[in-house]
Structures are given as C-alpha cells and as structure tokens.
C-alpha cells in the first residue's frame, strides 16, 4: 500500500521573482487593499467593504478586480466611495495592481446551506508568488492554498476586528519587514505551489 500524496494546483514557474527582484517595493502613498474574484456574496467583497473598511484609516481604499456575477453585491460595493471596481483585468494589469497593493484579501464566507464551497484559491498563490501580504478566511479550500504565517495569514471568517488589526499591523511594517515577508513568501510559493512540482 502506497499512501496517496495530494497534488495541489499551482502557478507557472516562468513568472519572474517580482518580490525578490524589487526588494524595496512599497505600497502607494494612498494605500489600497486588493480583492480579486467573482463578485458574489460568498467571496466576501461587499462584507469587507461594509464591516472592515470603515474601521481602517480614512485614506485606505479598496480595489476590487473581478467580473460581476451578482448585481446586489456590485451595488453594495458601488455605494461606498472608498471602493473602486476595476472589473476584469488582463494578467499584466492585474499584476500591477497586486504589486502596488498594501495587502491582498480573500474575505470569503461560507455559503448558508454549505453547498457552494470555496475551492483552492489560485489568487492566494499568486499573491505569495509576488511577495504581497495576503489575508484570507480560514475556510474550505483556502486552507490548502495558504501556508499560514509564511505565504499569507489565515483569519477567522466573518470577524472584522481580526481583519482590521491584521491590516493595521501590515501597514506598520518597515521596508525591511516587507522585504523579509516578500522573500519568504515567494520562496515558499515556489517550493510548494508550482505546476512543475
């Protein structure tokens, strides 16, 4: 009997080492938090805008990348002046958004009936690959895509205070702390989450 070894999804090893090759990369002067995903309630963008964003410094913005699947979710986001909905972006534009962000968030929510679950979470790997701090709900398939404390941080689902504190902490990082995180996350992502492996 040979025990099975799970093979996770991955990303291409041909991507450049953004974080390592640009160690002094810092967020923009007007910090923004980046969400990448379909605009549906389960992904948590509107929840984040309503319950987390108001508790952050007033100059923090929320950039949302993804296709609108749920009109109510989009309407909730559009009514917040600190939210910018960018829609679909090609790979180059998405990467530019990611590397200039303060942090990438995956504030996913469990579906009420438990039938629509979160999958693996490629966005988590891409953030780590570029050395960008990631905060994600500790639910379902996301827990397989994030090495907690190394390629990102897993937070309690639906608990705004944890998200606020984590973002404030990351914003307070020195340039050296960002570089250290970026290097560590990039290396771990390449060790564990490449298609080649």
């Amino acid at each position: 009997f040979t025990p099975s070894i799970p093979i996770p999804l991955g990303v291409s090893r041909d991507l450049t080492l953004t974080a390592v090759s640009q160690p002094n990369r810092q967020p923009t002067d007007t910090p923004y938090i980046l969400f990448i995903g379909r605009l549906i309630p389960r992904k948590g963008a509107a929840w984040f805008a309503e319950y987390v964003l108001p508790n952050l410094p007033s100059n923090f913005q929320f950039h949302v990348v993804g296709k609108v699947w749920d009109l109510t979710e989009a309407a909730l986001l559009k009514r917040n002046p600190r939210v910018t909905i960018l829609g679909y972006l090609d790979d180059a534009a998405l990467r530019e958004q990611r590397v200039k962000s303060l942090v990438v968030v995956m504030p996913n929510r469990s579906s009420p009936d438990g039938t629509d679950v979160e999958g693996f979470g490629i966005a988590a790997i891409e953030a780590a690959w570029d050395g960008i701090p990631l905060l994600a709900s500790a639910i379902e398939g996301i827990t397989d895509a994030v090495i907690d404390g190394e390629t990102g941080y897993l937070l309690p689902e639906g608990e705004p205070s944890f998200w606020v504190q984590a973002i404030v902490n990351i914003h307070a990082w020195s340039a050296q702390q960002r570089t250290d995180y970026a290097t560590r996350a990039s290396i771990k992502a390449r060790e564990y989450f490449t298609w080649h492996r």
Side-chain angles (χ1 to χ4, degrees):
F1 171 76
T2 303
S4 61
I5 299 172
I7 300 175
L9 296 175
V11 291
S12 171
R13 66 179 179 173
D14 296 330
L15 292 174
T16 59
L17 278 165
T18 302
V20 176
S21 62
Q22 299 176 13
N24 295 318
R25 186 203 65 80
Q26 290 291 302
T28 60
D29 292 334
T30 302
Y32 67 86
I33 297 147
L34 181 64
F35 168 91
I36 304 164
R38 292 175 293 142
L39 296 190
I40 57 175
R42 183 176 60 74
K43 295 287 188 178
W47 173 85
F48 185 93
E50 183 174 357
Y51 294 104
V52 179
L53 193 59
N55 295 299
L56 294 169
S58 60
N59 64 322
F60 281 36
Q61 302 294 306
F62 187 38
H63 290 193
V64 176
V65 174
K67 186 175 179 181
V68 175
W69 285 47
D70 184 289
L71 294 177
T72 302
E73 184 82 356
L76 290 171
L77 289 163
K78 287 177 182 176
R79 73 183 188 188
N80 189 322
R82 294 170 65 186
V83 174
T84 301
I85 299 177
L86 298 168
Y88 172 81
L89 298 179
D90 64 25
D91 287 345
L94 175 58
R95 196 159 196 217
E96 182 176 358
Q97 278 289 314
R98 192 167 48 239
V99 300
K100 291 181 179 177
S101 68
L102 171 67
V103 61
V104 174
V105 294
M106 297 177 68
N108 296 60
R109 316 272 290 145
S110 300
S111 62
D113 61 5
T115 59
D116 185 12
V117 298
E118 182 59 32
F120 184 72
I122 290 290
I125 301 174
E126 291 173 339
W129 195 272
D130 281 335
I132 310 306
L134 168 79
L135 302 175
S137 295
I139 63 170
E140 301 161 356
I142 294 174
T143 61
D144 293 322
V146 177
I147 302 171
D148 191 26
E150 297 193 50
T151 65
Y153 301 95
L154 295 171
L155 300 177
E157 170 194 7
E159 297 285 347
S161 61
F162 287 88
W163 292 79
V164 170
Q165 190 59 59
I167 292 167
V168 168
N169 289 347
I170 289 169
H171 183 251
W173 282 358
S174 66
Q176 187 60 54
Q177 286 174 300
R178 287 192 73 86
T179 297
D180 291 346
Y181 173 86
T183 303
R184 182 175 68 250
S186 295
I187 289 170
K188 284 293 181 183
R190 283 158 178 76
E191 285 179 359
Y192 291 98
F193 297 118
T194 62
W195 282 123
H196 176 72
R197 176 178 183 263

